[in-house]
Amino acid sequence: MAIITEKDLQPTYDVIVVGSGAGGGQSAYTLTMNGVKVLMLEAGRNYDPVTETPMFQSKADAPLRAMSTKEKPFGFHDATVDGGWEVPGEPYTQASTDPKQRFDWWRARMLGGRTNHWGRISLRNGAYDFKPYSRDGLGFDWPISYEDVAPYYDKVEMLVGVYGSNEGLENTPDSPNGTLLPPPKARAGELYVKKHIAKFGMPVIPIHRAVLSTRQDHVNFPARLHPNNPKAQKIIAKAMQERAACFWATDCGRGCSIKANYQSTTVHLPPALATGNLDILCNAHAREVTVGADGKANGVIYIDKVTGQERAVKGRAVILAASSGETARILLNSKSNRFPNGLGNSSGLVGKYIMDTVGAGLGGSVPAFENLPVHNEEGAGTHVYIPWWLYKDASKLGFARGYHIEFGTGRRMPVAPDAACRASAPAAPAPATARAIRKKSARSMAQASASLAAAR
Ligand SMILES: Cc1cc2nc3c(=O)[nH]c(=O)nc-3n(C[C@H](O)[C@H](O)[C@H](O)COP(=O)(O)OP(=O)(O)OC[C@H]3O[C@@H](n4cnc5c(N)ncnc54)[C@H](O)[C@@H]3O)c2cc1C
Ligand code: SF4
């Protein structure tokens, strides 16, 4: 099994996975390692970061010195080769013409989805984040707790490789010993922040990021990931050895041809393909999940984007991992006599209460850094951050939940955080409960990124 064309499709599969990003990649990996025959349908084109990542091109090599454009909002070298805020051929409408009510949804259309250019910041939700209603009476408690999810966090951290440290903070969970890779050292600007922020009682600690600061433990991790499964252990041990450690000098947002950071395309899909249990069909845009007489999903109708033809494939189960927006759309499109409002939508709530990460950026020049001697300040993006520290003061804050603060410092020209501002556009109007949920999610997901650019 491999990356296939339509003529190689099998009559039926155990499972059809729609989407190849974080959700689809992990699903396909887990299933195929356990012997399940999987077809992955991906709307975007095939993409190989090992051969396609321009890691060493300078901005001068690119048009407009790699400035962001409508087609490449994150700059010319951004790993998103197809897709963005606007996707050709996929109309996107706003519920309101009021600019303050806009909601823009970043849609990568390529193998690996958003994992090719994401920030690699890999934080665990804390115990309080699973039970917010119990603490402040807003939103809902999750039906699962941190303890239920923790063993899976452990496995994913081992598999993808996450650097960071255990700080013993109450709602910023530690990982089991030996799971995290060592964090990179804080740089001058980050040490400066740490020194001056201590008086406010805010913790400045190493962030957790899916970047290999050292090679992975290919001797011990495979057995912890796949106990009693020698074939899977062998495959993942080999895949881990094919990944190099970061050399701290290039832009993770372009992708990583040495596989040092996590992308579904370099970490999940190669070992899943090596099992022989995965077929990947690219340029296959899923439109609808089909349902059998028993009311259970039994296949997917998709559009071949090259020919424009509609096709159907069969599977015993279907996993929709097409990102939250697109997954909801496919469910709503999957109407039948039995499910007139779409699949899984007896509540009428599918497509409502979707939450995006919201963020805001702030840049400035720090006089104390003027005349700082030139030194090596390279690294892998963010090294330290401030986790949400006021989680016990909910009643005094005047807003629900919280945020964390990321820092980026260095001797460079100040930049305007254009893309970050766009990403923080508020969502469409919503009833009071939805607003509460959005704030609930904001506690763990919102990123207020402060970028302190030390420039002369
Ligand atoms: C700029 C940016 C930075 C980010 N940084 C971070 C970060 O630092 N930390 C963090 O935790 N999160 C971050 N995120 C969020 C993170 O990338 C996403 O939450 C995550 O990738 C979502 O995974 P997913 O599988 O749901 O969707 P995706 O990774 O988007 O994958 C969905 C896939 O489905 C495909 N697809 C869509 N529709 C169809 C269809 N109809 N048929 C077939 N295939 C389809 C798409 O082409 C895509 O490949 C960031 C996101 C962005 C945009
Ligand atoms: S900084 Fe490290 S992980 Fe990121 S692209 Fe460069 S080598 Fe890869």
Side-chain angles (χ1 to χ4, degrees), residues 53 55-56 120 209-212 244-263 379-381:
T53 304
M55 280 176 91
F56 303 107
R120 276 90 188 172
R209 281 188 81 235
V211 168
L212 301 188
C246 174
F247 51 73
W248 313 118
T250 45
D251 174 7
C252 285
R254 297 181 182 194
C256 187
S257 57
I258 62 167
K259 304 185 176 185
N261 66 29
Y262 164 71
Q263 298 172 243

Side-chain angles (χ1 to χ4, degrees), residues 20 46 103 164 174 181 224 227 297 324 351 453:
S20 61
N46 185 11
F103 181 81
D174 288 345
L181 304 170
R224 286 172 69 188
S324 17

Side-chain angles (χ1 to χ4, degrees), residues 18-24 41-44 74 106 108-110 112-115 117-121 284-286 321-323 326 330:
V18 178
S20 61
L41 296 176
E42 167 52 53
F74 286 85
W106 180 269
R109 287 289 175 271
M110 60 193 292
R114 281 173 287 173
T115 69
H117 86 149
W118 73 307
R120 276 90 188 172
I121 293 168
H285 196 113
S323 84
E326 190 72 7
I330 297 170

Side-chain angles (χ1 to χ4, degrees), residues 279-333:
D279 276 353
I280 301 177
L281 186 64
C282 292
N283 295 309
H285 196 113
R287 198 202 71 193
E288 181 183 336
V289 177
T290 54
V291 177
D294 58 359
K296 292 185 178 165
N298 67 3
V300 174
I301 297 175
Y302 69 91
I303 314 296
D304 178 330
K305 286 170 71 176
V306 179
T307 63
Q309 299 289 310
E310 190 172 284
R311 305 276 177 213
V313 276
K314 290 284 175 203
R316 284 167 48 216
V318 176
I319 295 178
L320 294 181
S323 84
S324 17
E326 190 72 7
T327 289
R329 199 179 71 83
I330 297 170
L331 286 171
L332 291 172
N333 270 354

Side-chain angles (χ1 to χ4, degrees), residues 34-225:
N34 287 290
V36 179
K37 301 285 181 197
V38 174
L39 170 68
M40 175 176 274
L41 296 176
E42 167 52 53
R45 75 158 167 94
N46 185 11
Y47 171 72
D48 177 10
V50 173
T51 55
E52 293 192 54
T53 304
M55 280 176 91
F56 303 107
Q57 277 183 15
S58 78
K59 291 190 174 180
D61 296 327
L64 300 172
R65 295 209 166 240
M67 283 291 290
S68 61
T69 57
K70 195 174 171 210
E71 291 72 32
K72 296 285 285 187
F74 286 85
F76 182 81
H77 287 123
D78 178 49
T80 306
V81 290
D82 272 325
W85 303 114
E86 291 170 22
V87 185
E90 293 189 39
Y92 184 101
T93 56
Q94 299 280 345
S96 165
T97 51
D98 179 354
K100 289 186 182 159
Q101 302 289 350
R102 286 182 67 86
F103 181 81
D104 293 312
W105 181 251
W106 180 269
R107 290 163 291 155
R109 287 289 175 271
M110 60 193 292
L111 194 65
R114 281 173 287 173
T115 69
N116 294 305
H117 86 149
W118 73 307
R120 276 90 188 172
I121 293 168
S122 306
L123 305 173
R124 296 180 177 215
N125 279 328
Y128 294 157
D129 302 318
F130 286 89
K131 304 291 171 193
Y133 179 79
S134 300
R135 279 176 58 76
D136 59 20
L138 295 172
F140 305 94
D141 284 346
W142 286 49
I144 50 173
S145 66
Y146 175 72
E147 286 69 33
D148 295 321
V149 180
Y152 302 99
Y153 277 136
D154 299 349
K155 283 196 162 190
V156 170
E157 285 176 356
M158 276 189 279
L159 174 64
V160 306
V162 174
Y163 71 60
S165 62
N166 288 332
E167 298 289 326
L169 296 176
E170 193 182 13
N171 200 39
T172 304
D174 288 345
S175 303
N177 278 343
T179 305
L180 295 173
L181 304 170
K185 284 186 182 166
R187 292 158 292 195
E190 292 146 357
L191 292 170
Y192 184 82
V193 170
K194 187 165 181 162
K195 178 178 163 194
H196 288 278
I197 227 153
K199 56 179 174 264
F200 300 111
M202 296 152 78
V204 181
I205 61 170
I207 202 164
H208 291 201
R209 281 188 81 235
V211 168
L212 301 188
S213 54
T214 60
R215 303 291 291 268
Q216 282 173 299
D217 182 352
H218 70 273
V219 177
N220 294 305
F221 278 4
R224 286 172 69 188
L225 285 168

Side-chain angles (χ1 to χ4, degrees), residues 302-436:
Y302 69 91
I303 314 296
D304 178 330
K305 286 170 71 176
V306 179
T307 63
Q309 299 289 310
E310 190 172 284
R311 305 276 177 213
V313 276
K314 290 284 175 203
R316 284 167 48 216
V318 176
I319 295 178
L320 294 181
S323 84
S324 17
E326 190 72 7
T327 289
R329 199 179 71 83
I330 297 170
L331 286 171
L332 291 172
N333 270 354
S334 304
K335 291 183 178 148
S336 58
N337 288 340
R338 190 159 182 164
F339 302 107
N341 297 322
L343 264 186
N345 193 26
S346 55
S347 63
L349 293 178
V350 169
K352 300 189 174 159
Y353 307 142
I354 287 180
M355 172 62 201
D356 198 358
T357 308
V358 291
L362 166 71
S365 163
V366 182
F369 287 177
E370 284 176 14
N371 301 320
L372 193 73
V374 174
H375 61 282
N376 184 352
E377 56 181 32
E378 288 171 343
T382 315
H383 288 193
V384 300
Y385 83 123
I386 300 175
W388 179 230
W389 67 103
L390 293 174
Y391 55 88
K392 284 192 172 154
D393 294 338
S395 57
K396 302 180 208 157
L397 294 172
F399 61 91
R401 312 296 151 69
Y403 48 85
H404 73 242
I405 304 176
E406 297 164 17
F407 296 96
T409 65
R411 294 169 60 92
R412 53 181 178 259
M413 293 299 289
V415 289
D418 51 352
C421 288
R422 190 93 191 269
S424 68
T433 330
R435 281 198 291 275

